[in-house]
């Protein structure tokens, strides 16, 4: 799937969800999904950092730090 297809699919999903929820439910689910995205980004960043630390440690024959 390319970037245009991904954004089109996300837009279609958002429109489909929005038309089925009232304003309060929509606000709640928006917040929930933002938090989910932020948490996934935090996990990805932490994994990347650990990979870099472990790579540097193995380059210097040190033990893993993550």
């Amino acid at each position: 799937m390319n970037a245009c297809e991904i954004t089109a699919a996300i837009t279609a999903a958002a429109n489909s969800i929005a038309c089925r929820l009232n304003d309060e439910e929509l606000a709640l689910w928006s917040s929930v999904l933002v938090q989910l995205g932020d948490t996934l980004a935090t996990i990805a960043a932490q994994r990347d950092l650990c990979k870099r630390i472990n790579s540097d440690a193995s380059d210097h024959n040190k033990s893993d730090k993550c």
Side-chain angles (χ1 to χ4, degrees):
M1 198 181 273
N2 68 37
C4 291
E5 292 170 334
I6 290 171
T7 57
I10 291 169
T11 298
N15 286 328
S16 178
I17 291 167
C19 71
R20 290 171 172 76
L21 301 176
N22 64 39
D23 291 346
E24 293 82 13
E25 293 167 331
L26 184 58
L28 174 63
W29 279 106
S30 174
S31 297
V32 167
L33 294 173
V34 166
Q35 183 175 355
L36 174 63
D38 289 346
T39 301
L40 290 172
T42 300
I43 292 167
Q46 190 271 340
R47 285 182 179 179
D48 185 54
L49 178 62
C50 282
K51 284 179 188 175
R52 291 176 191 228
I53 289 171
N54 290 336
S55 175
D56 289 347
S58 66
D59 290 344
H60 297 92
N61 294 322
K62 296 178 185 174
S63 62
D64 289 350
K65 297 188 188 246
C66 288

